[in-house]
Structure formats: C-alpha cells, structure tokens
Amino acid sequence: MPGRFGIGDLGASAYEFADFLFSAGQKLWQVLPLNPTGYADSPYQCFSAFAGNPMLLSLERLRELGLLQESDLDRTQSPPFPEDVVDYGPVIDFRMAALRRAARVFFADGSRADRAAFDSFCESASPWLDDYALFMTCKDAHRGAMWTLWDPRLRRRDPQAMNELSTRLAPELKAYKYWQFEFFQQWEHLKTYCQQRGIRLMGDVPIYVAHDSADVWAHPELFYLDDQGRPTVVSGVPPDYFSATGQLWGNPIYRWDLLAATGYKWWIDRFRASLALFDMMRLDHFRGFESYWEVPAGETTAIHGRWVKGPGEDFLSALQNACGELPIVAENLGVITPPVEKLRRQFGLPGMSLLQFAFGTDPQGPSFRPHNYTRDLVAYTGGHDNDTTVGWWSSSGAGDSTRTPEDVRKERNFARAYLNLSDDAEINWTMIRAVLSSVADVAIVPLQDVLGLGSAARMNLPGTLSGNWKWRYRPGALNDDLSARLRSLVTLYDR
C-alpha cells in the first residue's frame, strides 16, 4: 500500500483500501501471511507463526497516541522511500528506530489503563508471546544469527541462561511484547472497520514454518532435527510448472507422529490464533497434509525427494473437533492426486482454480477452465506466485516456468480462442470477467490485475531468493473509474 514510510501499514491507506473495496462492491479481502518476515523478506519464511509483523504498524497512529513526535517521523534529511517498491533495508532501520522510541515512551509515560490492557494482552498471549519475545531478543543479542549458531545454552533453552538474558535485556524483551500488543490492537480496529462495511478478511496459513523461528526453537521435538538443531530433511515440491528441478523450500519437516500424540495441540493453537484474526483462511499447500515431498538436508534441488504420507483425516478431524466448522480454502494446486481431492471433499473445503493455468499443457488444465468449474471453488485470475495477467500475456513466458516458446505460442492461441479475445481487448479485464461470470462460489482478483500492471508488479517468482515481495501500488491508483468498473461486474454476475 502507499504511505510515507516505505511500506504499506495498518494506517490510513489500509482504511482507504477498505473504502475502495466497499465502493466497488467487493466482499472479501485476501492477504498474504502477516507474520514477522525473516529470510529474503518472505511472508512464508517468518520468525513466528503467531506474531504480527511490526513493520506493518502505523507510525502515524503511534504519533496520534503521543508515543512518537512528528520529528521522529521526519525524513527530510534522507533520500525518500520509493513509491512502488519496498526497499527493505532502509525501511526496517527507520521503522525499528521509531518503534523502539514508541516502546520507551509507552513504558515511561503510558496511562494506567493502557498498561493494564498491555498486561492483559501479555497474559492471554503468553503461550506464544513469551517464546517469540525471547527468541527475537536472543537473536538481536547474537547480531541476527540463526538460533543454531547461538550460545549453546540459549540454543538448548537452558532455564538459567534464559533467565539471565531476560533480566539483562528486560527493556528489549518488553519492547517486542509491546509491538505485538499494538499490532493486534491496530489489526482489530481495521477488522472491525471492514466488518461494518460487509467485508470479510481472508488470511493465509503456510503449511510450514521457517527453521529460524521461535516455533522451531521453542519446540524442536516437533521437527526432524539433529542434535545441533539442524534439519535432517526439508520441504519442497518435485519438478513442476515453475521449475524443472522442483522447488526446494528448505523448511524443517514436522514429526507428525509426535504432533498426533499431543492431539495436534500446536496446530490447534495456531489455527485458533488465525481464527481470531480472520474470517476465513487459505490453507497453504493442502496436498502436503495428504502426502508431502521430503528432501534430504544438503540437497541443492528438490529432485531427489520422496512422497511421505501426511496426517490427513486424523489431523483435519482434530482441527474440526477443536474449532468447529473449518472456514478453510484448500490450496490444492500442483501435483494433485485423487486421495488429495477425496480428503478435501470429505471435509467440505473449497479448492482453488487459477485461470492462467487453464490454457497450457498441464494435464489438469481442463479443470481450470471456467466451463468445468464447480460451486465449491475459489477462482482466481492468478496467484502470488504467478506473473500478473498482463505480464503473463505480453512476455515470452518461458523464462518463469518450464514451458517452451512453442508451448507459450500454443497456449496464447488457445486462450485467445477460448476467451473470444479481440485484438483491442484488455486481457486483464477479459480474465477478470471470466472468473466473475463463472459458477465458482468465490472469485478473487489480485490487485495488480485490477490495475492492469505488467511483470514489474509481480509479487513473487518461485525459485528466486531476492527481489520478491516488494511491490506497492502508487497513491491515487484506486480511482472511481476502477471502482465503478468492478461494481458493474459484480452486479452483473450476482456477486
């Protein structure tokens, strides 16, 4: 989102976006994971599966609360932040300095009511908050090193060593807790604003967690690790549309047998935390709960992996028994087998369909074509791993996938015929109309496609380690013409 301080946040631009959705007749806002990002700034490699990302805190709200002064937000002596991308290094440095000042002022001058609210939050969130705050404080004390490289006593969570560090770095520990307190307050306020306008919020629950995270550090017994805390097997997927060598994600693999022995407590806690934030969730890599691709640690590609049976019905039954009806959208993309679809349908979970995959050589291509859609589906023009629709249509296409130039040519010709595309048609709006006019219960359009942006606005290119998760839309991009155009389509197709 736009904003003064280099990255979209929970401030004015978020409310302006909600107003745009309302005026455009939209009823669902899907977001990527909101957790604190780590390696390569990816929301799928986070320091915690429970915490919120402090980079998303509105500094202007903190100023309104008297915790920051306008001078704390002054960047007139520094180069301006770019408008259309996030330059993470300078953004993190600037925002962390402001957040540290806000925490100092809160603990020095906060009202009795505010401090009581903070204490209440810390108590209710303690099952994950204490570990997260201690993990981040330890990480800072070790200059950002991953936890397997820390002092052995802290790596092993020796109680005396942790108590000593907690005492010595008490202000830093409290600051991390305060930022979480403020994050959940700001998010709840935005969520209420959206609810008042009939807009539901859809979150994203990644199947795996980062190795360098509070989750793995605090619960190493739940993952396949050696005695030094290093993974013995890691996550990924076999060769696919995006890569001939597969995707090597590198996350540690769960010990599902031990999770089952606890009644899947960690996952149930995680799911309940997500339910408190969102109205519904996209469950990432759903097929991994039926069978997952396991790669030996040390491999440089995902080719030499194997399929391992996942927790399946037992796991989803435990979630359902603990949480009731599961408001989940199953991300069932990739190598999908009949047992995966059987599991999804058994629990009544809608699947996903990406229109960009409808016209190529993928054996599942026919299922992505709107005339084959079913009701229990969430239809997209494309997803966060895809190029934008304009980029997909106008580029050679072969560089970001396993397609050959001939594959791309045939795909274009088929798409042109299927969509009845005239030479002067806007491909993004033609694709938007196709998913909105389908029988799928839900249709979601990436904002880049609404804005008609090309490959420069792509969110992520799988298999690359830098340059992703940076895109921002420019101020003024969400205008009345766009709003009216979207509203006319959702009215036309009863959405």
Side-chain angles (χ1 to χ4, degrees), residues 277-298:
L277 289 176
F278 306 110
D279 301 296
M280 57 191 298
M281 280 87 71
R282 167 190 178 272
L283 188 55
D284 173 56
H285 196 55
F286 178 78
R287 76 101 57 242
F289 295 102
E290 194 282 322
S291 293
Y292 56 88
W293 191 249
E294 178 185 277
V295 183

Side-chain angles (χ1 to χ4, degrees), residues 89 148 165 172 218 335 453:
T148 53
L165 183 132
E172 289 85 349
V335 183
L453 300 177

Side-chain angles (χ1 to χ4, degrees), residues 453-482:
L453 300 177
S455 297
R458 183 172 185 158
M459 187 60 76
N460 180 51
L461 178 58
T464 59
L465 301 179
S466 62
N468 298 312
W469 317 110
K470 290 187 171 186
W471 176 73
R472 306 173 74 196
Y473 69 86
R474 287 179 172 270
L478 305 181
N479 55 46
D480 292 342
D481 289 342
L482 277 181

